[in-house]
Amino acid sequence: MPTRAALWNDLLDSLLALRDRVLDESEKRLAALDHQDPGLRLHPGVRNVVHYLVLRSVDIRPLQEALAREGLSSLGRCESHVLDSIERIIAVLRAATGKARGRASDASTTRDDEDASTLRSNTEILLGPAPGKRNTRIMVTLPGERATDLAFMKELLTSGMDIARINCAHDSPVEWAAMARTLRVARQETERPCKILADLAGHKIRTGPLATEEGVLHLRPMRDHRGRVVLPAHCRAAWKGNAQSPLPPVDCQLLPLETNRPPEVGEVLRCMDARGKERRLEVESVTDAGVTLSCPQSVYLMNGTPWQSDQHRRRHGHIAGIPETPTAILLAVGDHLLLTRDALPGAAAEPDHHQPARISCTIPSLVERLPLGQKVWMDDGKFGAEVVSQSPDGALLQITVAKPGGDRLFPDRGLNFPGLPLDLPPLSDKDRADLDVIVPLVDMIGFSFVESAAHMRALRDALSQRQATHLGIIAKIETAQAFHRLPEILLAAIGRQPLGVMVARGDLAMEVGPERLTEVQEEILWLADAAHLPVVWATQVLESLAKRGMISRPELTDAAMGERAECVMLNKGPYIGQAVHTLDDILTRMQGHQRKKFALMRALHWS
């Protein structure tokens, strides 16, 4: 068994060899960057990320285990100061073995006492100052329908929102401008800072439209476990005496035939619903915006359904204003779906005519490029499929993943083709037009579907053309190609523009596979830490709480993991204010236990 002195000499030799490898290989990589900008090699984030890439190009697990057994640092948290970590262990081993100092290391390396302040500075420049009680920011996606709701914006700010997100894939420039104006007033009135991010839509590949059919409004009462009615069914109906007047947000319209006088509270409107069943709709309230109707039974209403007042013979009419609904495409494992090359509305399968269900793709040119066996994911993983044949009409898919009994596919749902090179321009025509609108409104741009250094340079050029080089950029890592090219994407902007990284876990899971997502998101966190760049932890954080008001235990654990990032993003939902408040509490508590990969040991109070 080797003596302690021999063991430490071996460790010293291994570390010296590792340091020399990092220095020599890093110099080659930095020299390759000199053609872009000779000044890049002087940037501490650039140098450290190159050191980290070289370090992680070899398997050092045996060395780590040997160092840990001797009570030395195992390099497990060296992402942000690679060479400094190696040098500190070397210095300890030199002192222990009596060896003289050898080759000088990189003098410009980031030190252990500098990395945190560098990351903090970069984060504040991009995301704004940290809230007083926590370090991790909260980003919230703003809903277009609340664009002018000042009380709503103030609630988000006081609950803990630090960054407001405008999603350019939804709403219009009118709503975007209204969001920015309302938020500006809310910031002044609450005296809370809040930056604005605008996410470019990018080349989002989605399912096309579906054929529509006559709309049906189904009203359901709430029943208990024994089937007894607890609450009657309700709907809001506009009283449309004047066909030209604007309509408020309602479920349907009541079109009168003889009188323009609206019904009264307590009045009963009798009708035969779509199934031919007689139903009584009682008027619960009447306002200028319309009336509220209730019914203790289930009722199906359609446009043209006649109604008659029980109390007033001349007050009668019919139902209108129920929108058409998309044709249902129900898909189960083993079913076929034709992804068409044309933009015609999709439709359900027609078994009698041996026609599979069909739907179009928003980027038709991709359909003919799908090879046999290509995996396809739809609607954030609700459906998995595989290309089984190609024809002049499109690519025929066979469903391989769906919930038992099948599920419905809707229009405007995401499509992912793992491993397929998309070869799309970095910015779409819509992206360029949107930049003209949003540049004066926001503080940073979310770059959707960035996949290479060339893509990053294209966005930087577009911002330069609009005199907007001061705006920050958040590179959204959504595809497998973006993940594999993350180092070049970061090196194309570090030091030249405020920069951050978003782990867009929804699309990324479809690209790399849900089983590998945990590993991939960890690697993104590590690389961003090596570059001293802030990270946004995104997609489905507290999703059940924001959308349904229900807390899911796995989502709480996921939200707590987000403390390792500099920002956590929430999507919109009816209960978003509650979700912001809950996330604020979770992040505040967790920062006492963990910082990045470093477990903190604050005092615990077990009695």
Side-chain angles (χ1 to χ4, degrees):
M1 187 173 187
T3 64
R4 174 62 59 84
L7 181 60
W8 282 42
N9 274 310
D10 289 344
L11 285 175
L12 178 58
D13 290 342
S14 297
L15 282 164
L16 288 171
L18 178 63
R19 183 200 63 180
D20 290 347
R21 179 188 176 100
V22 169
L23 287 170
D24 295 341
E25 291 296 321
S26 295
E27 182 57 35
K28 295 175 185 177
R29 298 191 184 206
L30 289 167
L33 293 174
D34 286 343
H35 74 280
Q36 292 184 30
D37 180 355
L40 277 181
R41 61 170 53 240
L42 303 177
H43 191 279
V46 171
R47 297 190 68 83
N48 192 71
V49 79
V50 170
H51 294 156
Y52 181 70
L53 291 171
V54 175
L55 176 70
R56 295 307 304 269
S57 67
V58 295
D59 187 347
I60 62 169
R61 286 177 292 179
L63 174 60
Q64 286 184 287
E65 292 168 358
L67 289 168
R69 283 195 298 269
E70 298 304 309
L72 299 169
S73 168
S74 65
L75 298 173
R77 296 190 298 267
C78 73
E79 289 85 2
S80 57
H81 48 280
V82 174
L83 271 179
D84 186 58
S85 295
I86 297 174
E87 286 288 12
R88 286 173 184 262
I89 307 172
I90 288 175
V92 170
L93 290 172
R94 283 188 187 280
T97 57
K99 295 288 182 68
R101 180 177 177 84
R103 171 182 176 180
S105 187
D106 186 348
S108 63
T109 185
T110 301
R111 297 196 308 272
D112 180 34
D113 57 351
E114 295 175 330
D115 62 339
S117 61
T118 302
L119 175 59
R120 189 181 308 114
S121 175
N122 290 341
T123 302
E124 290 184 357
I125 291 171
L126 181 70
L127 304 179
K133 60 182 180 180
R134 58 176 157 79
N135 298 319
T136 304
R137 283 76 169 167
I138 295 176
M139 179 187 295
V140 180
T141 303
L142 299 180
E145 62 271 16
R146 309 294 290 271
T148 59
D149 190 336
L150 179 59
F152 172 72
M153 295 289 187
K154 291 168 66 175
E155 178 193 358
L156 292 181
L157 288 173
T158 55
S159 295
M161 178 177 73
D162 307 296
I163 302 160
R165 173 177 176 254
I166 296 173
N167 187 356
C168 294
H170 300 286
D171 306 313
S172 72
V174 174
E175 283 85 11
W176 305 338
M179 290 175 191
R181 286 195 304 269
T182 307
L183 183 61
R184 195 177 304 118
V185 176
R187 285 187 307 205
Q188 293 172 349
E189 295 191 4
T190 60
E191 297 183 344
R192 275 190 54 86
C194 181
K195 290 207 171 188
I196 304 177
L197 163 78
D199 257 3
L200 297 178
H203 296 282
K204 181 66 174 178
I205 310 168
R206 294 181 175 272
T207 54
L210 291 176
T212 57
E213 55 190 4
E214 191 173 13
V216 176
L217 177 61
H218 183 195
L219 307 179
R220 302 177 180 90
M222 182 181 294
R223 301 178 184 273
D224 64 15
H225 67 287
R226 297 171 66 179
R228 296 173 298 191
V229 173
V230 179
L231 288 173
H234 287 88
C235 78
R236 291 284 300 158
W239 178 257
K240 198 71 165 85
N242 177 5
Q244 302 305 315
S245 62
L247 286 175
V250 291
D251 300 306
C252 63
Q253 305 167 36
L254 296 174
L255 290 187
L257 296 182
E258 291 192 31
T259 177
N260 286 338
R261 185 176 177 181
E264 303 163 353
V265 174
E267 189 171 343
V268 173
L269 309 182
R270 192 183 302 273
C271 71
M272 299 290 288
D273 79 352
R275 301 165 298 170
K277 295 183 179 292
E278 184 177 6
R279 291 292 181 258
R280 293 163 53 88
L281 307 176
E282 182 175 345
V283 179
E284 281 199 352
S285 65
V286 179
T287 66
D288 292 340
V291 301
T292 299
L293 304 174
S294 70
C295 182
Q297 297 171 287
S298 180
V299 55
Y300 291 79
L301 300 176
M302 299 178 65
N303 292 328
T305 298
W307 55 267
Q308 169 70 58
S309 170
D310 271 0
Q311 287 82 0
H312 301 279
R313 182 178 58 83
R314 295 188 59 190
R315 190 173 291 151
H316 63 101
H318 61 268
I319 300 290
I322 300 174
E324 293 184 324
T325 58
T327 303
I329 294 185
L330 184 65
L331 296 173
V333 172
D335 288 347
H336 288 90
L337 174 70
L338 182 66
L339 194 61
T340 63
R341 302 185 189 197
D342 58 47
L344 294 176
E350 299 179 39
D352 293 343
H353 298 87
H354 305 289
Q355 294 292 328
R358 65 181 189 276
I359 199 165
S360 64
C361 169
T362 52
I363 304 182
S365 60
L366 289 177
V367 176
E368 63 185 21
R369 292 173 44 204
L370 299 178
L372 298 184
Q374 171 68 50
K375 303 295 184 184
V376 182
W377 290 98
M378 296 173 278
D379 198 358
D380 286 340
K382 180 192 286 187
F383 300 100
E386 184 175 313
V387 178
V388 294
S389 68
Q390 277 278 6
S391 72
D393 295 327
L396 186 64
L397 314 180
Q398 184 170 35
I399 304 301
T400 56
V401 176
K403 76 177 186 180
D407 210 339
R408 292 183 62 183
L409 177 64
F410 294 96
D412 198 35
R413 294 299 192 265
L415 290 170
N416 293 89
F417 308 101
L420 181 72
L422 300 181
D423 299 327
L424 298 171
L427 295 170
S428 67
D429 292 341
K430 171 179 165 53
D431 291 336
R432 295 184 183 278
D434 290 349
L435 280 174
D436 294 333
V437 175
I438 62 177
V439 158
L441 303 176
V442 304
D443 303 290
M444 52 193 135
I445 303 295
F447 194 2
S448 299
F449 301 103
V450 55
E451 289 195 325
S452 66
H455 282 193
M456 182 61 77
R457 286 192 290 269
L459 176 59
R460 292 182 55 235
D461 289 344
L463 292 176
S464 178
Q465 292 164 9
R466 293 161 176 81
Q467 291 75 52
T469 54
H470 62 287
L471 294 184
I473 297 174
I474 293 183
K476 298 175 61 180
I477 308 306
E478 300 171 273
T479 67
Q481 186 148 303
F483 168 68
H484 293 307
R485 293 181 174 177
L486 182 55
E488 71 170 74
I489 291 171
L490 301 185
L491 290 170
I494 291 180
R496 285 157 287 183
Q497 202 141 1
L499 182 64
V501 177
M502 179 182 286
V503 189
R505 300 180 298 162
D507 284 295
L508 195 55
M510 298 302 100
E511 288 278 324
V512 303
E515 301 84 2
R516 200 182 167 215
L517 176 63
T518 302
E519 176 187 17
V520 166
Q521 67 189 20
E522 288 296 305
E523 292 184 25
I524 296 173
L525 283 168
W526 297 340
L527 190 61
D529 195 15
H532 309 140
L533 295 176
V535 175
V536 179
W537 183 270
T539 311
Q540 295 179 332
V541 178
L542 297 182
E543 189 92 341
S544 298
L545 180 57
K547 291 191 173 179
R548 298 190 294 276
M550 301 171 61
I551 294 181
S552 160
R553 284 189 293 273
E555 287 181 356
L556 289 172
T557 302
D558 178 62
M561 286 293 294
E563 194 277 333
R564 293 178 53 193
E566 283 62 49
C567 180
V568 177
M569 189 188 94
L570 295 172
N571 273 323
K572 56 191 176 183
Y575 304 94
I576 186 61
Q578 185 179 346
V580 173
H581 180 79
T582 301
L583 182 59
D584 174 72
D585 185 59
I586 291 171
L587 296 176
T588 301
R589 293 174 184 275
M590 282 303 300
Q591 73 179 15
H593 299 284
Q594 185 168 331
R595 183 178 68 246
K596 291 293 186 181
K597 289 166 63 177
F598 195 88
L600 303 175
M601 301 179 70
R602 71 164 177 81
L604 299 179
H605 303 286
W606 289 323
S607 56

